[in-house]
Amino acid sequence: RQCAIQKIWWNCGRCLATEVKTRGKLYFQSDKVPRSILSTGKVGTNRDLLGSDGEFFGTDPIGLEVDINSGRDRAMSLDENGFCLLPHAWKHVDYYDNHQVINSYYAECEALVQKATGATRAVAFDHNLRAKQRKEAGDRLRGGSAVQEPLTTYGVHNDYTLTSAAQRIRQLAQPAGKNDTRVGTSLLNPEEVEGLLKKRWVFINVWRNVAETPVESFPLAACDAKSLALDDLIVFEIRYSDRVGENYFARYSDAQRWFYYPRMEKDEVMLLKCWDSRGADFLQYSEADGPKEPAVPATFSL
């Protein structure tokens, strides 16, 4: 099972949480881009030290409108569907301050994920803050990387692949790289990492609205893990200055079933499974394109 997520735009104005269905424009790779679960080296991008991506090569994104169902009335779970929504009220830090995010919010996310999954340990190691206007203004987190744009035409994607998932675990047992947020010593014990890889481990994104108002544009949409096939996947490389990562793009299929949580608030989080070592559900994600809506508040997410 795999799961794909993407941010969408919808034109129904101020949608209520009880809304059953809407239409969203999602960006997939066309049939011109060969399917692959292992890298061909022909699709990818270069990422700079501020976390921004250059122009992609080897891609052919196409925007398609698909039905998006509300997930608020359904019992979605990480193990069955690859995503879920949880209430999470806490003392909220300044999310534009890198020090506060790393030294306060990381620990909160670790406790949240550990409780939600039953894991014996959780380690937070990366974050991105996305806000369209602040990206256009060239803003940076105080003491950190650049604010990023919503992932619109970037396309539906997943953060890890068959190759890069275990590779990233091993990298966390090494000193921090140039793009890593937690500098200094390794986050995992190098002597234990191979033993950990023999057990069950998962990558989970914690997505939250960091604005005071509910999400009105570019809500996060998720494709049910049970409706995405391996044949939908395409590997692309992210080339850093000191390492090469891999993600999956996705191609569209009529079998895919998409969901979102209307008007997500600051005291809610969406957990997104990006990889599961048991060989099951993992997550694709992105943000979609749409017309300008000046009356709709912008989305600010972490």
Side-chain angles (χ1 to χ4, degrees):
R1 300 172 189 167
Q2 300 83 36
C3 178
I5 67 170
Q6 168 144 348
K7 288 197 178 175
I8 62 169
W9 166 84
W10 78 96
N11 60 4
C12 58
R14 297 182 65 86
C15 299
L16 300 176
T18 55
E19 183 188 8
V20 175
K21 182 183 293 187
T22 188
R23 294 281 289 177
K25 189 176 184 181
L26 312 182
Y27 283 78
F28 301 86
Q29 295 301 312
S30 78
D31 290 340
K32 295 179 181 178
V33 185
R35 297 178 176 91
S36 61
I37 60 171
L38 298 176
S39 180
T40 63
K42 297 179 180 180
V43 183
T45 186
N46 295 296
R47 182 164 294 176
D48 65 24
L49 293 178
L50 292 179
S52 299
D53 291 334
E55 185 174 351
F56 275 80
F57 57 88
T59 60
D60 186 40
I62 54 173
L64 300 174
E65 285 199 359
V66 300
D67 288 332
I68 316 286
N69 296 289
S70 173
R72 287 195 177 272
D73 300 327
R74 303 175 187 242
M76 299 297 189
S77 73
L78 286 173
D79 277 347
E80 290 299 316
N81 312 103
F83 63 91
C84 66
L85 183 73
L86 297 176
H88 185 242
W90 80 300
K91 59 183 180 181
H92 292 297
V93 298
D94 179 353
Y95 294 106
Y96 289 89
D97 187 306
N98 204 56
H99 179 81
Q100 292 186 43
V101 170
I102 293 173
N103 291 284
S104 295
Y105 189 51
Y106 273 25
E108 186 71 15
C109 287
E110 289 170 349
L112 173 70
V113 169
Q114 192 169 358
K115 180 179 179 180
T117 62
T120 56
R121 183 182 180 188
V123 178
F125 62 90
D126 193 16
H127 67 275
N128 276 306
L129 196 145
R130 302 189 180 279
K132 182 176 175 61
Q133 292 90 337
R134 298 191 69 159
K135 170 63 176 180
E136 291 173 346
D139 287 356
R140 294 178 58 176
L141 301 185
R142 287 187 296 278
S145 62
V147 174
Q148 300 300 321
E149 70 279 8
L151 296 174
T152 51
T153 55
Y154 191 99
V156 176
H157 70 280
N158 170 66
D159 280 349
Y160 297 96
T161 71
L162 186 64
T163 299
S164 68
Q167 175 181 283
R168 192 68 181 120
I169 294 289
R170 292 186 175 97
Q171 288 168 349
L172 295 177
Q174 301 170 3
K178 293 180 179 179
N179 281 77
D180 291 337
T181 59
R182 299 179 78 164
V183 298
T185 59
S186 59
L187 299 180
L188 299 176
N189 186 336
E191 296 179 358
E192 296 178 353
V193 67
E194 294 303 322
L196 293 175
L197 287 170
K198 295 177 181 178
K199 301 177 181 179
R200 187 182 177 188
W201 46 273
V202 298
F203 282 106
I204 292 177
N205 281 0
V206 180
W207 191 90
R208 102 178 299 129
N209 169 21
V210 299
E212 299 300 328
T213 55
V215 173
E216 299 282 7
S217 61
F218 298 107
L220 195 65
C223 180
D224 188 342
K226 294 178 287 187
S227 70
L228 189 69
L230 286 175
D231 284 345
D232 298 336
L233 303 179
I234 298 163
V235 175
F236 70 94
E237 295 182 352
I238 300 179
R239 299 175 179 177
Y240 299 85
S241 63
D242 58 352
R243 63 183 177 91
V244 176
E246 292 181 4
N247 285 191
Y248 281 127
F249 279 132
R251 295 168 72 169
Y252 176 72
S253 165
D254 288 336
Q256 294 168 4
R257 292 182 294 134
W258 291 86
F259 296 89
Y260 80 118
Y261 295 106
R263 307 193 77 230
M264 275 187 64
E265 299 184 348
K266 195 173 185 178
D267 285 341
E268 295 179 309
V269 294
M270 192 171 177
L271 300 187
L272 313 163
K273 186 185 290 186
C274 296
W275 192 266
D276 191 329
S277 65
R278 70 178 183 173
D281 20 303
F282 61 91
L283 192 71
Q284 307 261 344
Y285 67 98
S286 180
E287 291 157 59
D289 202 2
K292 304 295 183 183
E293 292 285 346
V296 176
T299 298
F300 302 86
S301 67
L302 183 72

